[in-house]
């Protein structure tokens, strides 16, 4: 098939996991024989076409507008970004017509819908998260309501919708309907990339772990990720496991607030704040830990959980959102209700003390990610959604 992916981020321009997802998906689709074009934003004053691993990447010009990606100017920034994407894509479509256009989230809604109308290509949308979900069920300001309305419009105009977990399918259905057009296709992982040698694991343990147990958190430092709950659990865990420490890899708008919270809890040197960590180093940090904790209040998927499973480190997660799929698959060593500090504490303690149960969970996780979450599997499942959408004369995709 001829596949056009539209994404507002794509490496090296990456804000979150969406860009990495589109990058890996596009490469694997090309490897499976599809003709793949990615339209994304760029940093040059004119549009630039690149080719990477069989994927053509068309980067839109960066317009000289004084607009920042911030709460105050987000909608204006999004409108300008979409205009740039359209101006870059339309000339390319004079010579090349896609069978399917795959949109990734609301920031490319107008581009994807317009290109679908012009080319008559079927429109498939992946909803990576929702504005209501990010705000724990609320739309507290006009900006949030506006984004929510764009999400609704994009879903209504799509012949097929992909969500990354069963929980996200339920969330999207509850918010927007369209249950007959939604297919669950999980995020993927390049398992081989996340292999850590025994020597690298030992070196990381010496650097971060010392003689006591080590917990690791990786992700954005925002309230919805639940890092505050992990900090609240540390005093009790340190009484049960003297010397236990936590490394935190990531940045975010609540970083200074969380660091102040750690000081109020008198955690001192018990927490090491690493800031942004590139993937190769992150793999060794996760491998060095005795437990990786994912304490999210809201989590459409939770890619760090797959990364921990790939390096064969025990997982303790909040049983919420996409993390529930991993719990159901038996991939985690422990789970707890989101926001339950006592439950988090007990789950980590049990994981550190029940070696046999923990080992079984780690082994199951390694098997499951190769079977269900490796990129070749995820790309083929995505392509099957494309084929179903392309076969329709009108209406919706039957996810069965």
């Amino acid at each position: 098939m001829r596949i056009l992916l539209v994404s507002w981020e794509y490496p090296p321009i990456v804000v979150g996991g969406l860009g990495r997802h589109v990058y890996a998906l596009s490469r694997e689709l090309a490897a499976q024989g599809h003709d793949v074009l990615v339209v994304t934003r760029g940093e040059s004053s004119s549009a630039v076409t690149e080719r990477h691993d069989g994927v053509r990447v068309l980067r839109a010009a960066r317009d000289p507008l004084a607009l920042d990606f911030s709460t105050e100017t987000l909608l204006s920034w999004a409108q300008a970004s979409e205009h740039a994407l359209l101006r870059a894509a339309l000339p390319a479509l004079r010579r090349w017509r896609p069978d399917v256009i795959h949109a990734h989230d609301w920031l490319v809604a107008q581009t994807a819908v317009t290109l679908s109308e012009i080319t008559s290509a079927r429109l498939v949308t992946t909803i990576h998260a929702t504005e209501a979900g990010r705000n724990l069920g609320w739309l507290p300001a006009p900006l949030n309501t506006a984004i929510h309305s764009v999400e609704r419009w994009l879903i209504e105009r799509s012949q097929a919708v992909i969500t990354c977990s069963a929980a996200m399918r339920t969330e999207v259905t509850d918010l927007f309907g369209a249950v007959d057009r939604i297919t669950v296709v999980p995020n993927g992982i390049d398992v081989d990339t996340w292999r850590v040698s025994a020597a690298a694991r030992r070196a990381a343990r010496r650097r971060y772990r010392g003689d006591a147990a080590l917990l690791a958190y990786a992700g954005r430092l925002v309230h919805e990720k639940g890092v505050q709950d992990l900090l609240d659990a540390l005093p009790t865990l340190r009484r049960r496991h003297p010397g236990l420490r936590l490394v935190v890899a990531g940045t975010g708008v609540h970083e200074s607030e969380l660091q102040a919270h750690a000081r109020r809890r008198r955690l001192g040197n018990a927490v090491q704040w690493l800031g942004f960590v590139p993937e190769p180093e992150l793999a060794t940090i996760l491998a060095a830990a005795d437990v990786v904790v994912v304490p999210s209040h809201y989590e459409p998927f939770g890619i760090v959980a797959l990364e921990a499973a790939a390096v064969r480190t025990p997982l303790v997660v909040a049983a919420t959102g996409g993390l529930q799929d991993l719990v159901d698959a038996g991939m985690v060593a422990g789970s707890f209700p989101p926001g339950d500090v006592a439950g988090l504490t007990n789950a980590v303690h049990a994981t550190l003390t029940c070696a046999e149960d923990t080992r079984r969970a780690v082994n199951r996780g390694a098997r499951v990610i190769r079977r269900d979450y490796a990129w070749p599997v995820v790309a083929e499942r995505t392509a099957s959604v494309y084929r179903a959408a392309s076969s329709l004369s009108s209406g919706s995709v039957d996810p069965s």
Side-chain angles (χ1 to χ4, degrees):
M1 287 178 287
R2 294 182 300 278
I3 301 164
L4 172 59
L5 299 173
V6 190
S7 175
W8 70 283
E9 57 175 296
Y10 191 86
I13 302 175
V14 174
V15 177
L18 187 152
R20 290 188 290 272
H21 174 96
V22 178
Y23 173 73
L25 176 62
S26 63
R27 293 174 67 202
E28 189 56 45
L29 288 168
Q32 294 181 2
H34 302 289
D35 185 3
V36 180
L37 172 65
V38 176
V39 174
T40 189
R41 62 190 172 108
E43 294 292 336
S44 301
S45 58
S46 58
V48 176
T49 301
E50 305 167 350
R51 184 175 287 273
H52 303 287
D53 299 314
V55 178
R56 286 179 298 141
V57 180
L58 178 54
R59 296 189 184 275
R62 181 178 183 177
D63 293 331
L65 303 177
L67 298 172
D68 293 326
F69 186 79
S70 65
T71 299
E72 291 76 17
T73 60
L74 179 56
L75 291 181
S76 297
W77 182 93
Q79 289 291 308
S81 174
E82 296 240 49
H83 280 297
L85 292 176
L86 280 169
R87 291 200 312 274
L90 287 172
L93 297 183
R94 295 173 188 153
R95 304 178 301 275
W96 182 88
R97 288 296 177 109
D99 301 305
V100 173
I101 294 172
H102 188 172
H104 289 268
D105 264 0
W106 72 274
L107 281 160
V108 298
Q110 293 193 52
T111 304
V113 170
T114 300
L115 296 179
S116 175
E117 290 180 349
I118 291 172
T119 63
S120 298
R122 311 308 281 167
L123 178 58
V124 175
T125 292
T126 291
I127 299 296
H128 293 266
T130 69
E131 187 67 9
R134 283 185 291 264
N135 289 278
L136 304 180
W138 296 90
L139 297 170
L143 172 63
N144 309 111
T145 301
I147 294 171
H148 179 79
S149 73
V150 177
E151 292 170 342
R152 178 182 297 280
W153 177 68
L154 178 58
I155 289 170
E156 288 174 349
R157 298 301 299 267
S158 299
Q159 281 72 55
V161 177
I162 293 173
T163 64
C164 59
S165 65
M168 275 301 297
R169 174 177 177 156
T170 298
E171 181 178 319
V172 171
T173 299
D174 289 346
L175 289 170
F176 307 113
V179 64
D180 60 329
R181 283 177 282 144
I182 302 175
T183 303
V184 176
V185 180
N187 286 334
I189 186 170
D190 185 344
V191 179
D192 293 334
T193 297
W194 287 87
R195 285 180 177 172
V196 177
S197 69
R201 189 185 298 263
R202 286 193 298 269
R205 282 181 176 271
R206 287 193 298 270
R207 179 179 179 185
Y208 295 107
R209 185 176 180 272
D211 297 326
L214 179 70
L215 308 183
Y217 166 86
R220 290 183 296 120
L221 301 183
V222 295
H223 179 79
E224 69 196 57
K225 295 295 184 179
V227 186
Q228 63 276 9
D229 301 330
L230 181 52
L231 295 174
D232 287 340
L234 281 188
T236 301
L237 285 168
R238 284 172 58 81
R239 287 193 294 271
R240 296 182 185 180
H241 303 272
L244 177 144
R245 298 176 62 249
L246 168 68
V247 290
V248 177
T251 61
V253 295
H254 294 154
E255 183 172 359
S256 59
E257 181 182 326
L258 289 167
Q259 291 173 345
H261 186 65
R263 290 192 293 271
R264 288 193 297 272
R265 301 289 301 185
R266 299 182 182 275
L267 291 170
N269 293 329
V271 183
Q272 186 173 359
W273 305 87
L274 303 179
F276 171 78
V277 176
E279 277 190 7
E281 184 181 349
L282 179 60
T284 62
I285 292 168
L286 299 182
D290 295 282
V291 181
V292 171
V293 184
V294 188
S296 304
H297 293 188
Y298 174 71
E299 191 61 76
F301 186 77
I303 189 65
V304 70
L306 288 190
E307 294 164 352
V311 300
R312 301 183 69 87
T313 297
L315 265 169
V316 169
V317 306
T320 187
L323 297 171
Q324 184 64 54
D325 289 357
L326 308 185
V327 175
D328 294 342
M331 293 177 60
V332 308
S335 63
F336 57 94
D340 183 347
V341 175
L344 188 163
T345 303
N346 291 334
V348 171
H349 173 68
T351 299
L352 290 171
T353 54
C354 302
E356 185 59 33
D357 290 344
T358 297
R359 185 164 51 252
R360 282 197 293 267
V362 168
N363 291 336
R364 277 195 301 271
R367 292 193 300 270
V368 171
I369 61 171
R370 286 194 174 275
R371 184 191 70 197
D372 296 338
Y373 297 99
W375 272 114
V377 176
V378 173
E380 176 52 38
R381 291 180 63 181
T382 304
S384 71
V385 177
Y386 297 161
R387 285 189 287 269
S390 297
S391 70
L392 297 176
S393 58
S394 62
S396 62
V397 171
D398 180 355
S400 64

